[in-house]
Amino acid sequence: MSLTKASTFECPYCMTINDIEVDEINDIGQSQVVDCQICCQPILVSIYDSNGELDIRAEMENE
């Protein structure tokens, strides 16, 4: 059994869909900087619980 859930988000720079593994126990309410898998720009990814569904928000790191 995996402790993470496979999810996706869109890069705010190049609009490419990126994959991310989310730990539904420890990552909720957290933010992290990840690099886009295509353009390598830094993305601030924030993960929230929205009525039992994952809400992944991706923003340019320098906003």
Side-chain angles (χ1 to χ4, degrees):
M1 179 176 158
S2 176
L3 298 176
T4 61
K5 181 177 182 179
S7 299
T8 60
F9 66 92
E10 184 177 280
C11 173
Y13 297 95
C14 70
M15 307 312 166
T16 300
I17 300 298
N18 284 252
D19 298 317
I20 190 168
E21 294 287 326
V22 177
D23 180 334
E24 294 183 282
I25 296 171
N26 296 311
D27 290 345
I28 303 296
Q30 302 292 319
S31 296
Q32 58 183 309
V33 175
V34 297
D35 290 337
C36 175
Q37 297 162 350
I38 302 300
C39 72
C40 300
Q41 293 292 325
I43 306 164
L44 179 62
V45 176
S46 302
I47 302 168
Y48 302 98
D49 181 357
S50 178
N51 298 323
E53 296 290 323
L54 287 178
D55 179 16
I56 301 173
R57 298 180 192 166
E59 310 173 9
M60 294 179 181
E61 182 189 28
N62 300 325
E63 280 188 350

